[in-house]
């Protein structure tokens, strides 16, 4: 047969679908629990969006984008004035949608999540495709380090829900903002200029275009040189240093293990301050990053709207699923949501996340949907997730320190004091088999 699938693509066969469904469910459940709403943006967009967003000097934009043209125009060799490309990532498309749909007028921050295919022309190998899927989320309109911490915690929870949290580490760095970036850039540029003769042609080009990227050069001949290069964190301005320190304090409090990686700069131009990646500590391959993200306080402005901060993360779905398989995790073994917390009213909403975290820690995989307000839609989500028990918390229960425990199998329900909740759940789940 001479018709084959293109290099770097794959078929997701029926037997694979269970892994995809599981990942989608975990992303949906956790994102909704953290108050994120789903968004879908076009698979192709104007090329100029990524030139201005992702950045003209990035590999993604200079080497990896697929152009989209009408077959008829290609034949006529008619250069399209409004060139379009397949999206190589989501973030600029989400930022465009935020601006174009007037989301600046909504209460801030706006929290959005997504799941879908992206396209990059790269050399295919294990864990690297030309068409691959990303899940991700963006918090737009919140400059505070707690937003960065939320995004990292959400990523952490998703990977844990999928049963692959054991050896993970967050690599993190801060690369400053428009106040201190010139100083950071100069220090790095001066350092490598003195050692220009050691640089490859590619890194020499970076010296003028984007010297920070030399820090993550893969060239084996300059690894020792890089180790001696000035670190971005040494030249941060006070505001950036405080931001980074506060974020790390959040991570300490959340008990999320991290590694300060002075070489982490990430290959996208829009980042300011925080950059991070999550990977398996035992995996030393180049394709070990399960996902990455960071802050982009200048992106919305670069796209022509009023300055608005943002922070987000995208995870690679194929790499995540590969990890689930490597760990020999059977789908049934993975922690499925057992308990769904339904919240009614503002007070209950505030209590809800804490209760979910406590139950999770006590060994009862739990979820909630902060973006949904009424009983019916929340019970619907609980059923979609196949939860066994719904805990209903309204104004009255908050005042009384109780919760309504509803068995979703037989429909029975009773009011239980929060202090007795774990005992009650243990009994119910045991007798439920
Ligand atoms: P990124 O680091 O380019 O970030 O991609 C995120 C993740 O997508 C990577 O960590 C990896 O798991 C997966 N990935 C990247 N390239 C490939 C490939 N060729 N084949 C398979 N998987 C791949 C972004 O895309 C940013 N939009 C992240 C972000 C969101 N920053 C702020 N908000």
């Amino acid at each position: 047969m001479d018709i084959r699938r293109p290099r770097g693509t794959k078929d997701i066969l029926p037997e694979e679908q269970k892994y995809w469904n599981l990942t989608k469910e975990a992303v949906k459940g956790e994102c909704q629990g953290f108050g994120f709403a789903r968004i879908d943006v076009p698979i192709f967009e104007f090329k100029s969006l990524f030139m201005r967003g992702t950045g003209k000097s990035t590999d993604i934009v200079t080497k990896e984008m697929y152009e989209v043209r009408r077959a008829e125009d290609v034949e006529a060799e008619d250069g399209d004035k409004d060139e379009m490309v397949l999206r190589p990532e989501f973030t600029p498309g989400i930022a465009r949608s935020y601006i174009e749909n007037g989301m600046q007028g909504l209460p801030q921050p706006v929290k959005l999540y997504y799941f879908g295919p992206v396209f990059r022309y790269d050399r295919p190998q294990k864990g690297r495709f030309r068409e691959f899927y990303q899940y991700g989320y963006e918090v737009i309109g919140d400059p505070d380090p707690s937003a960065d911490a939320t995004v990292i915690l959400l990523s952490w929870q998703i990977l844990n829900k999928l049963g692959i949290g054991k050896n993970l580490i967050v690599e993190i760095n801060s690369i400053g903002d428009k106040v201190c970036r010139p100083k950071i850039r100069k220090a790095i540029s001066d350092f490598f200029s003195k050692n220009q003769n050691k640089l490859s042609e590619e890194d020499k080009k970076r010296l003028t275009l984007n010297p920070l990227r030399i820090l993550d050069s893969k060239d084996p001949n300059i690894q020792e040189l890089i180790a001696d290069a000035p670190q971005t964190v040494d030249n941060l301005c006070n505001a950036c240093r405080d931001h980074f320190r506060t974020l790390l304090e959040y991570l300490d409090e959340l008990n999320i293990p991290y590694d300060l990686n002075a070489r982490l700069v990430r290959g996208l131009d829009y980042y300011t301050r925080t950059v991070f990646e999550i990977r398996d500590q035992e995996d030393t391959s180049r394709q070990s990053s399960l996902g990455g993200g960071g802050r982009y306080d200048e992106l919305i402005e670069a796209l022509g709207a009023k300055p608005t901060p943002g922070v987000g993360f995208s995870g690679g779905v194929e790499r995540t699923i590969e990890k689930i398989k490597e760990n020999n995790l059977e789908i049934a073994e993975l922690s499925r949501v057992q308990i769904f917390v339904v919240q009614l009213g503002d007070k209950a909403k505030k209590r809800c996340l804490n209760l979910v975290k406590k139950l999770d820690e006590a060994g009862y995989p739990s979820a909630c949907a902060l973006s949904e307000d009424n009983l019916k839609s929340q019970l619907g989500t609980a059923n979609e997730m196949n939860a066994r028990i719904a805990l209903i918390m309204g104004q009255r229960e908050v005042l009384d320190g109780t919760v309504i425990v509803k068995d979703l199998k037989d429909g029975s329900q009773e009011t239980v004091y929060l202090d007795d909740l774990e005992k009650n759940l243990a009994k119910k789940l045991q007798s439920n088999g």
Side-chain angles (χ1 to χ4, degrees):
M1 188 172 94
D2 59 357
I3 294 187
R4 280 176 273 136
R5 60 186 162 78
R7 259 191 95 202
T9 66
K10 72 206 158 292
D11 300 312
I12 308 171
L13 297 169
E15 59 269 28
E16 295 280 302
Q17 295 289 342
K18 59 183 178 190
Y19 295 104
W20 288 77
N21 289 337
L22 185 83
T23 309
K24 258 184 230 161
E25 254 178 52
V27 169
K28 181 179 166 194
E30 291 298 314
C31 286
Q32 288 186 341
F34 276 73
F36 284 72
R38 167 94 190 202
I39 186 167
D40 288 283
V41 291
I43 287 183
F44 60 91
E45 298 253 17
F46 289 113
K47 185 176 178 181
S48 50
L49 171 67
F50 300 102
M51 306 256 292
R52 281 163 72 177
T54 312
K56 280 191 211 123
S57 75
T58 62
D59 287 351
I60 293 178
V61 165
T62 53
K63 299 182 196 156
E64 298 176 4
M65 288 202 297
Y66 283 92
E67 212 174 283
V68 180
R69 281 204 279 169
R70 206 162 61 128
E72 201 175 308
D73 291 340
V74 175
E75 246 164 59
E77 286 188 14
D78 190 7
D80 192 338
K81 283 195 297 298
D82 299 323
E83 273 173 300
M84 280 179 284
V85 293
L86 294 177
R87 62 183 180 208
E89 56 148 340
F90 275 91
T91 312
I94 309 281
R96 175 206 46 73
S97 177
Y98 171 90
I99 298 167
E100 201 169 344
N101 293 293
M103 291 187 222
Q104 271 168 331
L106 298 175
Q108 305 292 305
V110 172
K111 293 154 80 182
L112 303 164
Y113 80 95
Y114 47 85
F115 191 109
V118 291
F119 305 84
R120 294 183 193 174
Y121 185 90
D122 204 340
R123 209 151 28 86
Q125 49 184 282
K126 186 169 182 284
R128 198 199 281 157
F129 298 89
R130 289 179 175 172
E131 180 196 35
F132 60 98
Y133 280 70
Q134 282 187 340
Y135 68 87
Y137 17 85
E138 313 292 338
V139 179
I140 307 184
D142 189 350
D144 199 75
S146 61
D148 310 45
T150 301
V151 164
I152 295 175
L153 174 63
L154 174 54
S155 313
W156 196 255
Q157 298 270 86
I158 289 174
L159 295 165
N160 272 291
K161 272 258 136 89
L162 289 169
I164 53 175
K166 216 171 45 219
N167 295 322
L168 297 187
I169 184 109
V170 177
E171 295 205 341
I172 195 163
N173 194 17
S174 174
I175 56 171
D177 63 1
K178 59 178 167 228
V179 176
C180 49
R181 183 71 62 76
K183 196 172 157 202
I184 293 173
R185 219 181 128 108
K186 185 168 185 309
I188 291 171
S189 165
D190 287 351
F191 176 82
F192 286 111
S193 295
K194 276 189 230 131
N195 296 284
Q196 251 197 76
N197 54 336
K198 297 185 184 143
L199 299 184
S200 67
E201 284 313 305
E202 174 124 28
D203 285 334
K204 271 186 197 145
K205 260 192 240 153
R206 286 178 168 157
L207 196 51
T208 43
L209 277 174
N210 187 353
L212 263 70
R213 294 272 343 258
I214 303 177
L215 294 178
D216 74 358
S217 169
K218 304 291 180 292
D219 181 354
N221 301 319
I222 62 161
Q223 297 308 308
E224 275 176 29
L225 186 62
I226 290 173
D228 290 337
Q231 303 197 349
T232 57
V233 284
D234 292 339
N235 287 303
L236 294 178
C237 59
N238 286 340
C240 285
R241 189 169 308 125
D242 284 348
H243 194 277
F244 193 41
R245 199 184 45 228
T246 310
L247 170 58
L248 298 181
E249 282 166 7
Y250 274 115
L251 297 184
D252 286 333
E253 214 164 290
L254 289 164
N255 246 329
I256 294 181
Y258 60 84
D259 219 359
L260 294 178
N261 180 350
R263 296 176 53 167
L264 187 70
V265 289
R266 308 220 346 107
L268 310 166
D269 279 356
Y270 48 65
Y271 288 122
T272 49
R273 297 189 164 169
T274 316
V275 286
F276 71 97
E277 286 188 3
I278 301 185
R279 54 176 200 83
D280 189 325
Q281 291 183 74
E282 288 178 0
D283 187 346
T284 52
S285 73
R286 275 182 58 187
Q287 273 71 248
S288 64
S289 167
L290 291 170
R295 183 163 271 288
Y296 45 85
D297 292 346
E298 289 153 28
L299 172 61
I300 306 267
E301 187 181 9
L303 297 180
K306 84 166 194 267
T308 310
V311 58
F313 169 90
S314 308
V317 179
E318 286 80 357
R319 294 186 191 176
T320 304
I321 289 179
E322 197 50 40
K323 205 42 80 205
I324 297 176
K325 290 184 182 166
E326 260 173 36
N327 288 5
N328 282 325
L329 289 167
E330 279 303 319
I331 299 294
E333 281 176 35
L334 296 169
S335 53
R336 293 192 154 272
V337 168
Q338 281 182 322
I339 293 166
F340 191 90
V341 185
V342 173
Q343 38 74 31
L344 302 165
D346 284 347
K347 287 211 172 76
K349 192 170 260 184
K350 287 206 184 99
R351 292 273 171 92
C352 180
L353 265 188
N354 225 334
L355 183 57
V356 167
K357 192 158 184 273
K358 268 203 187 124
L359 290 169
D360 255 348
E361 283 164 3
Y364 302 109
S366 306
C368 62
L370 290 183
S371 54
E372 292 173 17
D373 288 328
N374 71 54
L375 180 66
K376 198 166 160 225
S377 75
Q378 292 183 61
L379 285 178
T381 309
N383 276 322
E384 265 175 45
M385 288 182 181
N386 261 332
R388 302 265 287 279
I389 285 175
L391 300 180
I392 304 169
M393 201 194 259
Q395 215 78 320
R396 185 179 171 160
E397 285 72 26
V398 172
L399 289 177
D400 292 352
T402 60
V403 70
I404 299 172
V405 180
K406 184 179 173 70
D407 189 319
L408 293 172
K409 249 188 183 171
D410 62 18
S412 64
Q413 61 180 56
E414 62 179 314
T415 300
V416 173
Y417 280 104
L418 282 173
D419 287 343
D420 301 330
L421 183 61
E422 278 182 35
K423 243 190 290 159
N424 182 287
L425 290 175
K427 211 163 74 195
K428 275 222 162 54
L429 289 168
Q430 212 170 27
S431 66
N432 250 334

